[in-house]
Amino acid sequence: MTNLLTLPIIIPLMTAILLIFLAKQVTAQRVISVISTIATLVASIVLLLTVKNEGVQTIAISSWQSPFGISLVSDMLSALLVTTTSLITLCVIIYSFRSIGKKREQFYYYSIVQFMLVGVNGAFTTGDIFNLFVFFEVMLMSSYVLIVIGGTKIQLRESVKYILVNVISSAIFVIAVAFLYSVVGSLNMAHISERIAEIGQLPIITVIAVLFLIVFGLKGAIFPLYFWLPGSYNAPPVPVLALFGSLLTKVGVYSILRTYSLFFYQNQAFTHELLEIVALLTIIVGVIGAIAYWDVKKIIIYNIIIAVGVLTFGISLATEEAFQGTIFYLIHDMIIKAALFLLIGVMIKITGTSNLRKMGGLIKKYPLLGWTFLVAAFGLAGIPPLSGFVGKFLIVRAAFAEGAYVGALIVLLSSLFVLYSVIKIFMNGFWKAPQDYPGEEKQPVHFLWMPGAILVVVSICYGVGAEGMYPLISQATEALIDPTIYIDAVLKE
Amino acid sequence: MEILMSIVSGLLIASAVYLILSKSLLRIIIGTGLLSHGAHLLILTMGGLKNGAAPLLGQHAPAYVDPLPQALILTAIVISFGVTALFLVLAYRAYQELGTDNTDEMRGTEAND
């Protein structure tokens, strides 16, 4: 079935449209969005297996031949990311049932979540640079609405900033595409790659590469461009935050990975060194934020920035091992960030505050929640049997092999600080003297705990079963190391 | 012609940057409008401004202008139109709820919540 790779985009799109008509029937909305997200997940798993057995899947929309029409391309990397995205969205939707509140649910919440899934899955699957822009906008527009839905004061204030930053970065994206189009005269990513290889190392290509780095760095929160993230992500409710934290920035990272391995791989001296410096500074800034705050949301939010830094560092090394580590870490980080946000969401629901100093002793009454959080925390830091280990290990080993000792050291040290920051949550939130919190009996703790726990279990399986994942990851790496695989699959030459 | 257009879109973007750095929210939104105008003009310019017929096959001309940038602009225009509409409504709501359009007073400290 050749249309298989459109299914992760089409199913949520159709669901989103259907849900618009069912705005007031909350139960129907819930049932339909869960069923369709499971369908998306199944479709993406089938896609993953197809890509594994038959190689890169491409489809030329409306049968227009490849450089002329829009082509969708699903290689192993995008299939893996689409599957992870669908899984996370499913868990977040289940979490939303008891957490997001009737008012927001009646106001097209589920519909917008589905539109966001459309945007993210589309951005991972597209093979056309302008189409990537459009899917970015689909994703961003839904995120604008998700960040402001409910209309509390803090949301209004922060969404103004969030929208402004993204409007500017979208304009820069358009400008960058315009420059690239005037240089190579094509929009199809495989075709662009081929033409850049023909014209070689013109300085303008480096300029465009840096322009793309600025655009995707603004989306993905890289060092000098991360400033909007801590404030904006503090505003929305927890399930929305989990969606944002695990998906949005990672789309930026994916786009950097894609463009820097497919377009700008020839003249690495300048661009990749810039990427490396920026990545290390990102890690340092993230670490400073993560250990500075006593607010559980803020701590995990700064951990997003650290992870983005580690991923960009992996991309900047651009060796096979580094790419493997980056992809391992990318998928791990999406899952574990969503899990952590959902778990601290339960803590915030119980205690009614996100201030660590006002929490304490949760382990007495909620042991399951506590131990799940501890496992997730160890997973985040990269303690060996868990999922964060393999990715970081490969990145660090590649860094030593490349002679980037400072970078490797910073990545290793950052793990310590990450561990410190999440253990601070555990020690202060779950240990210490137990307290009573007003209204905690009414909270559906077990229900809310479940989606986070599912994600933690998935991440444990991912870490323990790294051996089983390895063939998939190395297949994903092949197309990054050797762009001709991608180009040949799209242009069919 | 391309040089003139590049200068014009540069001016548009310069004014956009100036307006976006100001304090009033409405000026910022006007700035984003100018920014998208600059970007759209740049796509058109970068596609080339050679003489040719409008891209309609009924014209039977020997040469046509490049239709692709026009399609890109059309897409970018509706997208930025949607975002601007949302942004304007959001600014209106923010003005109603927060009682200010001065971005200096929209700081994200906890004391302001």
Side-chain angles (χ1 to χ4, degrees):
Chain A
M1 194 173 132
T2 50
N3 286 331
L4 179 64
L5 76 167
T6 58
L7 284 184
I9 304 171
I10 296 283
I11 296 173
L13 180 63
M14 289 301 161
T15 318
I17 294 170
L18 177 65
L19 289 178
I20 291 175
F21 297 103
L22 299 170
K24 301 297 169 217
Q25 284 98 313
V26 174
T27 323
Q29 285 201 64
R30 289 175 177 176
V31 172
I32 290 173
S33 48
V34 163
I35 291 173
S36 85
T37 318
I38 290 173
T40 315
L41 182 61
V42 170
S44 52
I45 290 172
V46 174
L47 173 63
L48 186 73
L49 295 175
T50 316
V51 174
K52 179 172 181 274
N53 296 328
E54 294 165 22
V56 183
Q57 299 288 305
T58 60
I59 179 170
I61 303 282
S62 315
S63 308
W64 284 92
Q65 271 320 302
S66 231
F68 305 114
I70 289 174
S71 46
L72 296 180
V73 187
S74 198
D75 62 350
M76 189 41 102
L77 174 60
S78 62
L80 278 170
L81 291 174
V82 164
T83 312
T84 318
T85 305
S86 311
L87 175 71
I88 289 169
T89 313
L90 179 63
C91 290
V92 170
I93 286 174
I94 295 173
Y95 184 92
S96 305
F97 289 172
R98 293 288 186 84
S99 134
I100 198 79
K102 267 249 155 47
K103 280 224 172 99
R104 287 190 172 109
E105 282 181 308
Q106 286 182 342
F107 227 85
Y108 308 101
Y109 171 76
Y110 293 112
S111 180
I112 299 161
V113 170
Q114 296 291 330
F115 273 123
M116 178 137 157
L117 187 57
V118 174
V120 175
N121 278 350
F124 285 144
T125 319
T126 187
D128 182 285
I129 195 77
F130 197 78
N131 196 228
L132 178 68
F133 165 73
V134 174
F135 275 123
F136 258 112
E137 289 301 315
V138 172
M139 174 185 95
L140 289 172
M141 282 273 228
S142 357
S143 76
Y144 300 156
V145 181
L146 281 179
I147 201 172
V148 81
I149 190 170
T152 58
K153 276 187 180 171
I154 176 171
Q155 282 180 304
L156 286 169
R157 209 176 57 208
E158 296 303 331
S159 51
V160 167
K161 298 167 196 170
Y162 178 72
I163 294 182
L164 179 62
V165 167
N166 281 302
V167 165
I168 294 169
S169 85
S170 299
I172 303 175
F173 198 170
V174 172
I175 291 170
V177 170
F179 282 154
L180 192 60
Y181 179 70
S182 80
V183 175
V184 300
S186 178
L187 294 171
N188 184 297
M189 280 155 66
H191 199 216
I192 291 174
S193 168
E194 212 177 45
R195 288 209 169 160
I196 288 179
E198 278 166 22
I199 57 175
Q201 317 194 340
L202 289 181
I204 185 74
I205 298 293
T206 310
V207 174
I208 295 171
V210 174
L211 210 51
F212 271 111
L213 179 63
I214 293 173
V215 173
F216 297 137
L218 263 169
K219 316 268 184 202
I222 284 173
F223 161 61
L225 308 168
Y226 73 98
F227 53 86
W228 55 272
L229 187 134
S232 300
Y233 279 22
N234 208 20
V238 167
V240 176
L241 177 59
L243 270 185
F244 281 22
S246 55
L247 303 182
L248 292 192
T249 51
K250 305 306 180 295
V251 180
V253 173
Y254 164 80
S255 308
I256 295 176
L257 181 57
R258 186 60 88 198
T259 48
Y260 273 66
S261 65
L262 189 61
F263 297 173
F264 312 118
Y265 60 92
Q266 274 138 352
N267 188 8
Q268 297 192 346
F270 179 75
T271 46
H272 284 61
E273 194 170 329
L274 177 72
L275 208 55
E276 185 179 341
I277 295 169
V278 161
L280 296 177
L281 287 171
T282 312
I283 298 177
I284 293 171
V285 170
V287 162
I288 292 174
I291 54 178
Y293 280 96
W294 278 84
D295 181 307
V296 281
K297 268 188 183 174
K298 276 268 162 71
I299 292 173
I300 310 289
I301 286 171
Y302 274 99
N303 271 304
I304 299 176
I305 299 176
I306 302 176
V308 168
V310 173
L311 291 168
T312 345
F313 178 65
I315 298 171
S316 79
L317 294 169
T319 63
E320 190 174 357
E321 199 171 34
F323 278 143
Q324 281 173 359
T326 311
I327 297 170
F328 250 113
Y329 198 72
L330 183 59
I331 295 166
H332 142 79
D333 192 64
M334 289 168 80
I335 298 172
I336 205 80
K337 282 285 144 58
L340 278 171
F341 277 122
L342 295 182
L343 291 175
I344 63 161
V346 185
M347 289 172 73
I348 293 171
K349 259 281 193 278
I350 294 169
T351 59
T353 172
S354 64
N355 189 340
L356 259 185
R357 290 201 172 93
K358 293 180 188 157
M359 295 181 183
L362 289 175
I363 198 96
K364 269 260 158 41
K365 278 189 206 157
Y366 311 100
L368 270 177
L369 177 65
W371 297 121
T372 330
F373 183 84
L374 188 68
V375 173
F378 283 162
L380 180 71
I383 308 276
L386 299 169
S387 62
F389 172 70
V390 190
K392 242 177 211 171
F393 172 69
L394 288 170
I395 291 177
V396 168
R397 208 167 70 173
F400 277 123
E402 286 288 292
Y405 299 113
V406 183
L409 221 62
I410 290 180
V411 171
L412 286 173
L413 282 177
S414 78
S415 306
L416 274 185
F417 288 111
V418 166
L419 186 61
Y420 168 75
S421 70
V422 277
I423 288 301
K424 186 162 92 178
I425 299 181
F426 184 73
M427 294 306 279
N428 288 286
F430 289 98
W431 243 241
K432 285 202 313 196
Q435 299 176 23
D436 282 322
Y437 304 99
E440 64 175 312
E441 287 79 18
K442 283 182 237 151
Q443 298 305 339
V445 174
H446 285 290
F447 187 88
L448 291 178
W449 165 78
M450 204 177 55
I454 294 172
L455 285 174
V456 172
V457 169
V458 171
S459 103
I460 293 172
C461 296
Y462 181 66
V464 175
E467 199 75 43
M469 286 299 290
Y470 188 76
L472 301 182
I473 305 277
S474 63
Q475 192 185 343
T477 317
E478 276 165 24
L480 294 179
I481 287 293
D482 183 10
T484 48
I485 296 176
Y486 187 95
I487 296 169
D488 288 347
V490 178
L491 298 178
K492 305 239 164 61
E493 280 165 5
Chain B
M1 195 60 184
E2 278 92 344
I3 292 178
L4 185 66
M5 282 300 149
S6 307
I7 293 170
V8 170
S9 71
L11 281 175
L12 276 172
I13 291 172
S15 0
V17 170
Y18 177 75
L19 283 171
I20 286 171
L21 291 176
S22 63
K23 280 183 187 171
S24 154
L25 198 48
L26 212 50
R27 276 167 180 265
I28 291 176
I29 298 176
I30 294 172
T32 61
L34 289 183
L35 186 63
S36 58
H37 282 329
H40 299 157
L41 191 59
L42 200 67
I43 306 183
L44 199 64
T45 314
M46 287 289 140
L49 295 172
K50 308 286 180 298
N51 278 328
L56 299 167
L57 284 178
Q59 303 235 334
H60 301 294
Y64 294 95
V65 295
D66 190 351
L68 193 59
Q70 302 192 9
L72 300 189
I73 292 174
L74 196 57
T75 313
I77 285 175
V78 291
I79 289 174
S80 73
F81 178 70
V83 174
T84 309
L86 179 72
F87 202 0
L88 277 168
V89 172
L90 181 72
Y92 180 59
R93 276 279 289 162
Y95 178 67
Q96 279 182 327
E97 291 280 321
L98 305 173
T100 176
D101 78 329
N102 187 341
T103 44
D104 253 4
E105 292 167 23
M106 292 190 191
R107 298 217 178 164
T109 53
E110 264 150 50
N112 272 5
D113 285 347

